[in-house]
Amino acid sequence: MTSLVNRLDRAGVRMSAQRRIIAECLDGEDRHATAAGLLEQAQEVLPEIGRATVYKALASFVESGQVAEVDVGDGPTCFDPNANV
C-alpha cells in the first residue's frame, strides 16, 4: 500500500513539515483517529504544533479525497486514511 504522505503529495496537497508529521501519525491500516489523538501524537514529534494546524491539515486531507471523515454518532469525528484507497 502507498503511504498517505505519497498519496497526498500525488493529489497535490502541499506537504509542510507539520502536515507531513500529521499524515505520518494518521497513516496505517485499520486506523481511525480523532483530531485530539493526532494532536497528541504529533506533539510528541513537534511539541509546538497547534490544534488549529491539525484541524486545517485534516480539512485539506479530506478535501483532497485521500482521507475520509467518519461520523461515529455521539463521539468525536474520526478520520480514516484508507477509505479511498
Side-chain angles (χ1 to χ4, degrees):
M1 181 188 329
T2 305
S3 77
L4 179 58
V5 171
N6 290 338
R7 292 189 354 248
L8 290 165
D9 187 51
R10 281 197 316 257
V13 176
R14 187 178 62 81
M15 293 304 293
S16 65
Q18 293 89 345
R19 284 184 178 189
R20 181 173 299 280
I21 289 167
I22 295 163
E24 289 171 353
C25 290
L26 181 58
D27 202 9
E29 293 183 32
D30 299 323
R31 179 99 162 108
H32 290 155
T34 64
L38 288 169
L39 175 61
E40 281 184 31
Q41 281 185 277
Q43 285 177 330
E44 290 177 12
V45 178
L46 188 66
E48 63 272 15
I49 200 165
R51 181 180 317 269
T53 301
V54 171
Y55 278 98
K56 288 177 185 176
L58 289 171
S60 175
F61 298 170
V62 169
E63 185 178 318
S64 76
Q66 299 305 307
V67 173
E69 282 187 73
V70 180
D71 182 359
V72 292
D74 292 338
T77 298
C78 290
F79 297 88
D80 182 353
N82 301 305
N84 301 314
V85 175

